[in-house]
Amino acid sequence: MPDTTFDQLLASGQPIILDGGLATELEAQGYNLNSALWSAELLLNHPQAIIDAHLAYYEAGANCAISASYQATLKGFMGLGLDAEQAQDLILSSIRLAINARSAYVADHAGSTQPLLVAASVGPYGAPLGDGSEYTGDYGVDDAALVAFHQQRLQWLDHSGADVLACETIPSLQEAKVLHKLLAQCQTPAWITFSCKDGQHLNDGSPIADCARLFAQHPTVRAIGVNCTSPLYINELISCIKQVIEQQESQLAIVVYPNSGEHYQASDNSWHGTSTPMECGQAAASWQHSGAAIIGGCCRMGPEHIQQIQQHLHSPSHSTSNP
């Protein structure tokens, strides 16, 4: 089943397990990501490290690897001295590396029936700024600036060979509305996930229910949900989204991949606090029971977390059917 499409896997009714934090695994490998481009800089300097990180998540039981394009932008790479063509190729290399990791897994696991997907990460406007605004949505720019930021990269990733576009960590309704229009022009199926400050609201204060209504009948978006958000809020957020989906008679699936519950401080690129005291696998089973069909981890969630998720979601004692 490695060549299963995203739509086919969604239709199968089995849970789709995402990877965890790419930067988390790269740091575990010993790489210093303290740069404006974070893990995207390794596309240029250490591409094998990215392959190894994706492979670690496939080995842990993930069905889907999310590419290292979250903070990869034309402007950012040209700031390293690359020309526009080189920058574009480097962004697209993030998809090739994930595909290479998938191929390596298949080669090492002959006869495996584990369906394997590659998602192209589409980070928010604030991601390459490095000022924490991706967690607030307080950009201070108009819609035209957001279109200019997203449009070209989305076009490239739409034709990159990725199985799905992963628009993630979106902190504001303004950016969601811009992506709504741009994703309608894409051919590749997509999901969109929001960063939230509590059980009902995006980080900019907009209700998650408004976002669910916005995408309820979108032609290419297959799933909506939450990422890079505390696990404590996930069940309530799922409930808010599920209610809108049912009201709108939408076919949208629900996707969640929270962080570990720790707090990020942009001023010194550090994490503070302690992990939420939930056993990761049990929490994932509760998210599935609440209505999530696509489940994984984000910042500070590594292969060990994904392995626990995989074991709990495929354990007969925890198995539930998708609503």
Side-chain angles (χ1 to χ4, degrees):
M1 291 180 66
D3 58 351
T4 303
T5 69
F6 180 65
D7 285 342
Q8 288 171 336
L9 192 52
L10 264 183
S12 74
Q14 64 176 292
I16 299 176
I17 299 172
L18 305 181
D19 59 10
L22 181 61
T24 299
E25 175 58 17
L26 290 169
E27 288 176 336
Q29 292 180 21
Y31 289 94
N32 183 354
L33 304 182
N34 190 18
S35 78
L37 293 175
W38 286 33
S39 55
E41 188 167 329
L42 298 185
L43 292 170
L44 180 63
N45 298 323
H46 298 284
Q48 185 60 46
I50 294 175
I51 293 176
D52 293 342
H54 289 318
L55 191 55
Y57 284 116
Y58 282 137
E59 294 281 358
N63 300 120
C64 185
I66 303 176
S67 70
S69 50
Y70 179 79
Q71 283 165 311
T73 64
L74 185 66
K75 181 179 179 180
F77 285 135
M78 291 182 71
L80 296 178
L82 303 179
D83 61 31
E85 184 176 350
Q86 291 171 323
Q88 177 185 355
D89 185 69
L90 202 57
I91 291 170
L92 293 176
S93 76
S94 67
I95 310 303
R96 294 196 297 269
L97 294 176
I99 291 173
N100 287 346
R102 176 171 62 186
S103 298
Y105 180 90
V106 171
D108 290 342
H109 298 79
S112 172
T113 59
Q114 178 179 337
L116 305 175
L117 303 174
V118 169
S121 176
V122 181
Y125 178 87
L129 300 181
D131 59 0
S133 62
E134 65 190 294
Y135 301 111
T136 66
D138 186 18
Y139 301 147
V141 299
D142 61 15
D143 289 359
L146 296 179
V147 170
F149 173 79
H150 282 294
Q151 189 168 38
Q152 188 174 57
R153 183 174 60 161
L154 264 178
Q155 290 173 349
W156 293 341
L157 294 175
D158 186 31
H159 297 91
S160 67
D163 299 290
V164 57
L165 301 173
C167 297
E168 51 185 1
T169 327
I170 306 304
S172 72
L173 185 58
Q174 178 195 14
E175 193 163 16
K177 289 177 178 178
V178 168
L179 286 167
H180 182 279
K181 294 179 181 179
L182 294 177
L183 287 170
Q185 303 166 17
C186 294
Q187 301 300 313
T188 308
W191 77 62
I192 184 163
T193 52
F194 299 92
S195 56
C196 297
K197 65 179 183 179
D198 58 30
Q200 298 184 31
H201 301 92
L202 275 59
N203 283 337
D204 77 335
S206 300
I208 188 73
D210 288 352
C211 297
R213 276 188 285 271
L214 177 65
F215 286 94
Q217 306 298 337
H218 195 279
T220 62
V221 172
R222 304 292 196 265
I224 182 174
V226 180
N227 79 298
C228 212
T229 296
S230 171
L232 292 175
Y233 303 134
I234 298 301
N235 279 317
E236 185 178 358
L237 287 161
I238 291 172
S239 179
C240 291
I241 295 169
K242 184 178 177 182
Q243 184 177 14
V244 173
I245 287 174
E246 291 175 346
Q247 290 172 346
Q248 300 290 319
E249 299 182 349
S250 170
Q251 298 301 309
L252 282 178
I254 298 176
V255 49
V256 296
Y257 46 115
N259 58 35
S260 66
E262 296 167 89
H263 174 67
Y264 176 69
Q265 184 169 305
S267 62
D268 61 358
N269 189 30
S270 63
W271 290 86
H272 299 273
T274 57
S275 298
T276 303
M278 289 184 179
E279 198 280 313
C280 187
Q282 291 178 344
S286 77
W287 304 332
Q288 183 189 29
H289 182 73
S290 293
I294 308 170
I295 299 173
C298 198
C299 301
R300 315 289 279 186
M301 294 273 213
E304 65 279 5
H305 297 87
I306 302 308
Q307 186 174 36
Q308 290 185 34
I309 291 173
Q310 193 275 340
Q311 290 172 353
H312 276 75
L313 296 194
H314 289 282
S315 169
S317 62
H318 291 87
S319 179
T320 59
S321 60
N322 292 331

